[in-house]
PDB file of all heavy atoms in Angstrom:
ATOM      1  N   ILE A 251     -97.293 -15.655 -47.232  1.00  0.00           N
ATOM      2  CA  ILE A 251     -96.742 -14.303 -47.241  1.00  0.00           C
ATOM      3  C   ILE A 251     -95.252 -14.381 -47.533  1.00  0.00           C
ATOM      4  O   ILE A 251     -94.510 -15.053 -46.804  1.00  0.00           O
ATOM      5  CB  ILE A 251     -96.968 -13.602 -45.887  1.00  0.00           C
ATOM      6  CG1 ILE A 251     -98.456 -13.580 -45.541  1.00  0.00           C
ATOM      7  CG2 ILE A 251     -96.390 -12.184 -45.904  1.00  0.00           C
ATOM      8  CD1 ILE A 251     -98.738 -13.157 -44.121  1.00  0.00           C
ATOM      9  N   GLU A 252     -94.825 -13.697 -48.570  1.00  0.00           N
ATOM     10  CA  GLU A 252     -93.408 -13.631 -48.903  1.00  0.00           C
ATOM     11  C   GLU A 252     -92.962 -12.170 -48.802  1.00  0.00           C
ATOM     12  O   GLU A 252     -93.403 -11.331 -49.586  1.00  0.00           O
ATOM     13  CB  GLU A 252     -93.158 -14.162 -50.314  1.00  0.00           C
ATOM     14  CG  GLU A 252     -93.561 -15.617 -50.506  1.00  0.00           C
ATOM     15  CD  GLU A 252     -93.432 -16.053 -51.954  1.00  0.00           C
ATOM     16  OE1 GLU A 252     -92.325 -15.922 -52.517  1.00  0.00           O
ATOM     17  OE2 GLU A 252     -94.435 -16.498 -52.534  1.00  0.00           O
ATOM     18  N   TYR A 253     -92.123 -11.898 -47.828  1.00  0.00           N
ATOM     19  CA  TYR A 253     -91.629 -10.529 -47.661  1.00  0.00           C
ATOM     20  C   TYR A 253     -90.314 -10.556 -46.891  1.00  0.00           C
ATOM     21  O   TYR A 253     -90.221 -11.174 -45.832  1.00  0.00           O
ATOM     22  CB  TYR A 253     -92.642  -9.669 -46.907  1.00  0.00           C
ATOM     23  CG  TYR A 253     -92.185  -8.238 -46.708  1.00  0.00           C
ATOM     24  CD1 TYR A 253     -92.060  -7.372 -47.790  1.00  0.00           C
ATOM     25  CD2 TYR A 253     -91.851  -7.763 -45.443  1.00  0.00           C
ATOM     26  CE1 TYR A 253     -91.627  -6.068 -47.619  1.00  0.00           C
ATOM     27  CE2 TYR A 253     -91.417  -6.458 -45.267  1.00  0.00           C
ATOM     28  CZ  TYR A 253     -91.308  -5.620 -46.365  1.00  0.00           C
ATOM     29  OH  TYR A 253     -90.864  -4.332 -46.193  1.00  0.00           O
ATOM     30  N   VAL A 254     -89.330  -9.920 -47.439  1.00  0.00           N
ATOM     31  CA  VAL A 254     -88.038  -9.783 -46.779  1.00  0.00           C
ATOM     32  C   VAL A 254     -87.801  -8.295 -46.546  1.00  0.00           C
ATOM     33  O   VAL A 254     -87.866  -7.498 -47.488  1.00  0.00           O
ATOM     34  CB  VAL A 254     -86.901 -10.366 -47.640  1.00  0.00           C
ATOM     35  CG1 VAL A 254     -85.563 -10.171 -46.941  1.00  0.00           C
ATOM     36  CG2 VAL A 254     -87.147 -11.843 -47.908  1.00  0.00           C
ATOM     37  N   ALA A 255     -87.553  -7.925 -45.303  1.00  0.00           N
ATOM     38  CA  ALA A 255     -87.341  -6.517 -44.983  1.00  0.00           C
ATOM     39  C   ALA A 255     -86.158  -5.975 -45.771  1.00  0.00           C
ATOM     40  O   ALA A 255     -85.173  -6.673 -45.991  1.00  0.00           O
ATOM     41  CB  ALA A 255     -87.085  -6.357 -43.480  1.00  0.00           C
ATOM     42  N   PRO A 256     -86.268  -4.728 -46.246  1.00  0.00           N
ATOM     43  CA  PRO A 256     -85.159  -4.127 -47.001  1.00  0.00           C
ATOM     44  C   PRO A 256     -83.862  -4.133 -46.204  1.00  0.00           C
ATOM     45  O   PRO A 256     -83.870  -4.060 -44.976  1.00  0.00           O
ATOM     46  CB  PRO A 256     -85.641  -2.695 -47.269  1.00  0.00           C
ATOM     47  CG  PRO A 256     -87.123  -2.752 -47.112  1.00  0.00           C
ATOM     48  CD  PRO A 256     -87.394  -3.813 -46.086  1.00  0.00           C
ATOM     49  N   ALA A 257     -82.753  -4.214 -46.904  1.00  0.00           N
ATOM     50  CA  ALA A 257     -81.446  -4.215 -46.249  1.00  0.00           C
ATOM     51  C   ALA A 257     -81.195  -2.871 -45.592  1.00  0.00           C
ATOM     52  O   ALA A 257     -81.689  -1.834 -46.058  1.00  0.00           O
ATOM     53  CB  ALA A 257     -80.357  -4.513 -47.270  1.00  0.00           C
ATOM     54  N   PRO A 258     -80.436  -2.854 -44.498  1.00  0.00           N
ATOM     55  CA  PRO A 258     -80.138  -1.573 -43.832  1.00  0.00           C
ATOM     56  C   PRO A 258     -79.407  -0.624 -44.763  1.00  0.00           C
ATOM     57  O   PRO A 258     -78.626  -1.038 -45.617  1.00  0.00           O
ATOM     58  CB  PRO A 258     -79.245  -1.991 -42.655  1.00  0.00           C
ATOM     59  CG  PRO A 258     -79.500  -3.446 -42.467  1.00  0.00           C
ATOM     60  CD  PRO A 258     -79.844  -3.985 -43.811  1.00  0.00           C
ATOM     61  N   SER A 259     -79.678   0.660 -44.606  1.00  0.00           N
ATOM     62  CA  SER A 259     -79.002   1.670 -45.412  1.00  0.00           C
ATOM     63  C   SER A 259     -77.571   1.852 -44.922  1.00  0.00           C
ATOM     64  O   SER A 259     -77.295   1.832 -43.723  1.00  0.00           O
ATOM     65  CB  SER A 259     -79.761   2.999 -45.322  1.00  0.00           C
ATOM     66  OG  SER A 259     -79.029   4.025 -45.955  1.00  0.00           O
ATOM     67  N   LEU A 260     -76.648   2.055 -45.867  1.00  0.00           N
ATOM     68  CA  LEU A 260     -75.245   2.301 -45.517  1.00  0.00           C
ATOM     69  C   LEU A 260     -74.930   3.788 -45.435  1.00  0.00           C
ATOM     70  O   LEU A 260     -73.793   4.174 -45.212  1.00  0.00           O
ATOM     71  CB  LEU A 260     -74.329   1.637 -46.559  1.00  0.00           C
ATOM     72  CG  LEU A 260     -74.448   0.116 -46.656  1.00  0.00           C
ATOM     73  CD1 LEU A 260     -73.518  -0.407 -47.740  1.00  0.00           C
ATOM     74  CD2 LEU A 260     -74.135  -0.545 -45.327  1.00  0.00           C
ATOM     75  N   ALA A 261     -75.947   4.623 -45.639  1.00  0.00           N
ATOM     76  CA  ALA A 261     -75.721   6.067 -45.608  1.00  0.00           C
ATOM     77  C   ALA A 261     -75.282   6.489 -44.202  1.00  0.00           C
ATOM     78  O   ALA A 261     -75.852   6.075 -43.202  1.00  0.00           O
ATOM     79  CB  ALA A 261     -77.000   6.801 -46.001  1.00  0.00           C
ATOM     80  N   GLY A 262     -74.292   7.313 -44.165  1.00  0.00           N
ATOM     81  CA  GLY A 262     -73.818   7.822 -42.892  1.00  0.00           C
ATOM     82  C   GLY A 262     -72.766   6.960 -42.229  1.00  0.00           C
ATOM     83  O   GLY A 262     -72.234   7.319 -41.174  1.00  0.00           O
ATOM     84  N   THR A 263     -72.447   5.793 -42.810  1.00  0.00           N
ATOM     85  CA  THR A 263     -71.428   4.952 -42.211  1.00  0.00           C
ATOM     86  C   THR A 263     -70.052   5.405 -42.667  1.00  0.00           C
ATOM     87  O   THR A 263     -69.903   6.131 -43.644  1.00  0.00           O
ATOM     88  CB  THR A 263     -71.649   3.483 -42.617  1.00  0.00           C
ATOM     89  OG1 THR A 263     -71.613   3.395 -44.044  1.00  0.00           O
ATOM     90  CG2 THR A 263     -72.991   2.984 -42.128  1.00  0.00           C
ATOM     91  N   ASN A 264     -69.049   4.946 -41.988  1.00  0.00           N
ATOM     92  CA  ASN A 264     -67.676   5.323 -42.317  1.00  0.00           C
ATOM     93  C   ASN A 264     -67.249   4.626 -43.603  1.00  0.00           C
ATOM     94  O   ASN A 264     -67.174   3.407 -43.651  1.00  0.00           O
ATOM     95  CB  ASN A 264     -66.752   4.929 -41.155  1.00  0.00           C
ATOM     96  CG  ASN A 264     -65.362   5.512 -41.334  1.00  0.00           C
ATOM     97  OD1 ASN A 264     -65.006   5.995 -42.399  1.00  0.00           O
ATOM     98  ND2 ASN A 264     -64.579   5.475 -40.249  1.00  0.00           N
ATOM     99  N   ALA A 265     -67.000   5.399 -44.656  1.00  0.00           N
ATOM    100  CA  ALA A 265     -66.614   4.813 -45.936  1.00  0.00           C
ATOM    101  C   ALA A 265     -65.188   4.309 -45.918  1.00  0.00           C
ATOM    102  O   ALA A 265     -64.786   3.526 -46.776  1.00  0.00           O
ATOM    103  CB  ALA A 265     -66.776   5.846 -47.060  1.00  0.00           C
ATOM    104  N   ASN A 266     -64.387   4.763 -44.955  1.00  0.00           N
ATOM    105  CA  ASN A 266     -63.000   4.329 -44.858  1.00  0.00           C
ATOM    106  C   ASN A 266     -62.765   3.709 -43.487  1.00  0.00           C
ATOM    107  O   ASN A 266     -62.303   4.377 -42.559  1.00  0.00           O
ATOM    108  CB  ASN A 266     -62.044   5.521 -45.061  1.00  0.00           C
ATOM    109  CG  ASN A 266     -62.207   6.135 -46.444  1.00  0.00           C
ATOM    110  OD1 ASN A 266     -62.067   5.445 -47.445  1.00  0.00           O
ATOM    111  ND2 ASN A 266     -62.501   7.430 -46.487  1.00  0.00           N
ATOM    112  N   PRO A 267     -63.120   2.448 -43.320  1.00  0.00           N
ATOM    113  CA  PRO A 267     -62.968   1.809 -42.009  1.00  0.00           C
ATOM    114  C   PRO A 267     -61.493   1.688 -41.642  1.00  0.00           C
ATOM    115  O   PRO A 267     -60.621   1.675 -42.506  1.00  0.00           O
ATOM    116  CB  PRO A 267     -63.604   0.429 -42.216  1.00  0.00           C
ATOM    117  CG  PRO A 267     -63.507   0.187 -43.687  1.00  0.00           C
ATOM    118  CD  PRO A 267     -63.650   1.536 -44.322  1.00  0.00           C
ATOM    119  N   PRO A 268     -61.195   1.639 -40.338  1.00  0.00           N
ATOM    120  CA  PRO A 268     -59.797   1.523 -39.908  1.00  0.00           C
ATOM    121  C   PRO A 268     -59.191   0.213 -40.388  1.00  0.00           C
ATOM    122  O   PRO A 268     -59.906  -0.755 -40.618  1.00  0.00           O
ATOM    123  CB  PRO A 268     -59.899   1.568 -38.378  1.00  0.00           C
ATOM    124  CG  PRO A 268     -61.307   1.141 -38.082  1.00  0.00           C
ATOM    125  CD  PRO A 268     -62.127   1.648 -39.224  1.00  0.00           C
ATOM    126  N   PRO A 269     -57.866   0.194 -40.574  1.00  0.00           N
ATOM    127  CA  PRO A 269     -57.230  -1.036 -41.047  1.00  0.00           C
ATOM    128  C   PRO A 269     -57.385  -2.167 -40.042  1.00  0.00           C
ATOM    129  O   PRO A 269     -57.508  -1.942 -38.832  1.00  0.00           O
ATOM    130  CB  PRO A 269     -55.756  -0.625 -41.202  1.00  0.00           C
ATOM    131  CG  PRO A 269     -55.592   0.551 -40.298  1.00  0.00           C
ATOM    132  CD  PRO A 269     -56.906   1.268 -40.335  1.00  0.00           C
ATOM    133  N   THR A 270     -57.393  -3.388 -40.554  1.00  0.00           N
ATOM    134  CA  THR A 270     -57.535  -4.559 -39.699  1.00  0.00           C
ATOM    135  C   THR A 270     -56.276  -4.751 -38.879  1.00  0.00           C
ATOM    136  O   THR A 270     -55.163  -4.679 -39.417  1.00  0.00           O
ATOM    137  CB  THR A 270     -57.779  -5.806 -40.567  1.00  0.00           C
ATOM    138  OG1 THR A 270     -58.914  -5.574 -41.379  1.00  0.00           O
ATOM    139  CG2 THR A 270     -58.006  -7.027 -39.700  1.00  0.00           C
ATOM    140  N   PRO A 271     -56.396  -4.974 -37.573  1.00  0.00           N
ATOM    141  CA  PRO A 271     -55.214  -5.169 -36.735  1.00  0.00           C
ATOM    142  C   PRO A 271     -54.408  -6.374 -37.204  1.00  0.00           C
ATOM    143  O   PRO A 271     -54.958  -7.292 -37.797  1.00  0.00           O
ATOM    144  CB  PRO A 271     -55.806  -5.407 -35.333  1.00  0.00           C
ATOM    145  CG  PRO A 271     -57.180  -4.843 -35.395  1.00  0.00           C
ATOM    146  CD  PRO A 271     -57.635  -5.020 -36.797  1.00  0.00           C
ATOM    147  N   PRO A 272     -53.112  -6.362 -36.952  1.00  0.00           N
ATOM    148  CA  PRO A 272     -52.278  -7.498 -37.356  1.00  0.00           C
ATOM    149  C   PRO A 272     -52.761  -8.797 -36.719  1.00  0.00           C
ATOM    150  O   PRO A 272     -53.156  -8.826 -35.553  1.00  0.00           O
ATOM    151  CB  PRO A 272     -50.879  -7.116 -36.828  1.00  0.00           C
ATOM    152  CG  PRO A 272     -50.925  -5.644 -36.656  1.00  0.00           C
ATOM    153  CD  PRO A 272     -52.338  -5.299 -36.312  1.00  0.00           C
ATOM    154  N   GLY A 273     -52.744  -9.863 -37.516  1.00  0.00           N
ATOM    155  CA  GLY A 273     -53.119 -11.172 -36.998  1.00  0.00           C
ATOM    156  C   GLY A 273     -54.582 -11.484 -37.117  1.00  0.00           C
ATOM    157  O   GLY A 273     -54.999 -12.596 -36.818  1.00  0.00           O
ATOM    158  N   VAL A 274     -55.414 -10.521 -37.549  1.00  0.00           N
ATOM    159  CA  VAL A 274     -56.841 -10.756 -37.674  1.00  0.00           C
ATOM    160  C   VAL A 274     -57.184 -10.888 -39.150  1.00  0.00           C
ATOM    161  O   VAL A 274     -56.835 -10.024 -39.951  1.00  0.00           O
ATOM    162  CB  VAL A 274     -57.661  -9.618 -37.044  1.00  0.00           C
ATOM    163  CG1 VAL A 274     -59.142  -9.857 -37.264  1.00  0.00           C
ATOM    164  CG2 VAL A 274     -57.362  -9.518 -35.568  1.00  0.00           C
ATOM    165  N   GLY A 275     -57.858 -11.935 -39.514  1.00  0.00           N
ATOM    166  CA  GLY A 275     -58.214 -12.144 -40.909  1.00  0.00           C
ATOM    167  C   GLY A 275     -58.615 -13.576 -41.135  1.00  0.00           C
ATOM    168  O   GLY A 275     -58.687 -14.380 -40.201  1.00  0.00           O
TER     169      GLY A 275
END
């Protein structure tokens, strides 16, 4: 059996995420 569940939908998520805090990256 070969089956990979579909990827989660991005609908409804925040298209503009908050900026990354300083020092994180």
Side-chain angles (χ1 to χ4, degrees):
I251 303 169
E252 299 174 56
Y253 180 68
V254 178
S259 173
L260 298 179
T263 58
N264 190 347
N266 298 303
T270 304
V274 177

